[in-house]
Amino acid sequence: MSKQKKFEENLAELETIVQSLENGDITLEEAITAFQKGMLLSKELQETLDKAEKTLVKVMQEDGTESELE
């Protein structure tokens, strides 16, 4: 499975969790579990985006058109 596919799947799962929490159609226990899962997914997604940004900056630096972000 490619990382892109995993990213998209995690994003879709996070969106589903957020929607169920916003709708309030789950029990408190389910909401707590869903929230915890959502936080983990959010962290994974942010890490993936951070890695992608660093890769893009590095590629742009090699081309001489951009300097590394601080």
Side-chain angles (χ1 to χ4, degrees):
M1 179 183 301
S2 72
K3 287 192 182 268
Q4 179 65 26
K5 179 89 170 165
K6 183 175 174 149
F7 179 85
E8 296 297 333
E9 288 173 352
N10 285 345
L11 184 58
E13 185 175 357
L14 180 59
E15 290 172 346
T16 300
I17 289 170
V18 169
Q19 186 176 25
S20 68
L21 290 171
E22 287 179 344
N23 290 341
D25 57 358
I26 57 177
T27 66
L28 177 59
E29 292 81 10
E30 291 171 330
I32 291 170
T33 300
F35 179 80
Q36 291 171 330
K37 173 80 174 177
M39 292 301 294
L40 289 173
L41 286 170
S42 177
K43 182 180 177 183
E44 287 179 27
L45 291 166
Q46 187 60 52
E47 288 172 358
T48 301
L49 290 173
D50 290 344
K51 287 178 187 177
E53 180 182 23
K54 287 177 184 176
T55 299
L56 288 173
V57 168
K58 182 178 178 183
V59 168
M60 292 175 76
Q61 281 182 327
E62 290 172 1
D63 187 41
T65 59
E66 185 71 36
S67 61
E68 188 167 347
L69 298 175
E70 305 242 349

